[in-house]
Amino acid sequence: MTDALDPADMREQYRTKELTAADLAPDPIRQFASWFKETAASPAIHEPNAMVVSTATPDGRPSSRTVLLKHYDDAGFVFFTNYGSRKGAELTANPYVSLLFPWHPLARQVIVTGRAARTGRDETAAYFRTRPHGSQLGAWASEQSSVIASREELLARYEELAARYPDSEQVPVPPEWGGFRVVPETVEFWQGHENRLHDRLRYVREDGSWRVERLAP
């Protein structure tokens, strides 16, 4: 592999303003809202709501994938998936989860850890109705994480559904499709600095309130 790039030679110096506890909002949801607004306004970030969702089996075997955040408030962070998918099955068996928002062009990350619980069917249906018609059909066509013979098989399922539910027809919510709400226990705000002396400020939930601690980079 003489033509391979050497990742050890790839370095970036982050030059940002110091982040202190005094700069933070009283709780992590408001702090997240502030950073999320700044991120969404940046042309350097393609999908600011993209996050890496990491789950694990009951015996500790981890898996990760990129998912889109669809809602957040004081109750937690919400995303939607097929409950029969790998992440759905792992969260059903082991509700502990980590969310990572990798806003690298801004030298920022947000890391959420907590427990996931399924959203109610009314909340799931309300969101499903906002999805484009094609995405609604896709939720039926794909048995997420299952092995399929070919892409043609997937497209054939989709075309069959498109014929059954044309644009004028309402698509029912798949029974095995829905949301997870991640209730945060910790939320870390990471900001890069020169010489790898990054700021890491973490909110920790204690007795219904939040305290902030600084972590070594």
Side-chain angles (χ1 to χ4, degrees):
M1 294 177 52
T2 57
D3 60 342
L5 289 173
D6 185 359
D9 290 336
M10 297 178 179
R11 291 180 175 84
E12 179 94 17
Q13 282 282 25
Y14 305 118
R15 293 176 173 85
T16 60
K17 179 183 175 182
E18 180 185 359
L19 181 67
T20 71
D23 298 321
L24 299 179
D27 67 78
I29 301 302
R30 286 164 181 76
Q31 181 61 35
F32 179 85
S34 175
W35 271 25
F36 187 64
K37 185 176 181 179
E38 292 178 22
T39 303
S42 171
I45 306 294
H46 174 53
E47 289 187 309
N49 60 329
M51 59 185 183
V52 178
V53 177
S54 297
T55 58
T57 60
D59 61 349
R61 294 180 178 269
S63 63
S64 300
R65 74 289 293 159
T66 301
V67 176
L68 296 179
L69 175 72
K70 289 302 177 180
H71 180 71
Y72 70 93
D73 57 22
D74 289 337
F77 299 81
V78 177
F79 65 92
F80 292 86
T81 188
N82 187 310
Y83 289 140
S85 66
R86 180 174 180 176
K87 61 183 170 298
E90 290 182 356
L91 286 174
T92 298
N94 174 8
Y96 293 101
V97 60
S98 174
L99 312 177
L100 167 64
F101 295 86
W103 298 328
H104 300 312
L106 302 183
R108 285 178 172 178
Q109 296 183 100
V110 178
I111 304 169
V112 179
T113 65
R115 292 174 62 99
R118 294 187 182 190
T119 60
R121 293 307 291 174
D122 288 347
E123 184 175 355
T124 289
Y127 169 69
F128 189 79
R129 297 284 170 246
T130 70
R131 288 165 63 92
H133 187 78
S135 296
Q136 294 181 17
L137 296 177
W140 277 98
S142 175
E143 296 179 11
Q144 197 174 74
S145 299
S146 64
V147 176
I148 59 176
S150 65
R151 180 169 178 80
E152 287 70 26
E153 177 185 330
L154 179 66
L155 294 176
R157 291 180 191 171
Y158 182 89
E159 292 302 327
E160 178 186 343
L161 288 158
R164 189 187 312 172
Y165 301 108
D167 288 345
S168 59
E169 293 286 329
Q170 185 177 81
V171 181
V173 182
E176 281 301 304
W177 189 93
F180 280 105
R181 173 172 284 100
V182 178
V183 180
E185 296 175 352
T186 70
V187 184
E188 178 185 328
F189 292 84
W190 180 101
Q191 186 164 280
H193 285 294
E194 291 181 283
N195 305 315
R196 299 300 185 256
L197 299 178
H198 314 307
D199 287 322
R200 297 178 60 190
L201 296 177
R202 181 171 64 185
Y203 291 82
V204 180
R205 189 190 294 272
E206 286 187 346
D207 301 323
S209 60
W210 295 97
R211 65 174 174 85
V212 176
E213 58 191 11
R214 178 177 286 272
L215 304 177

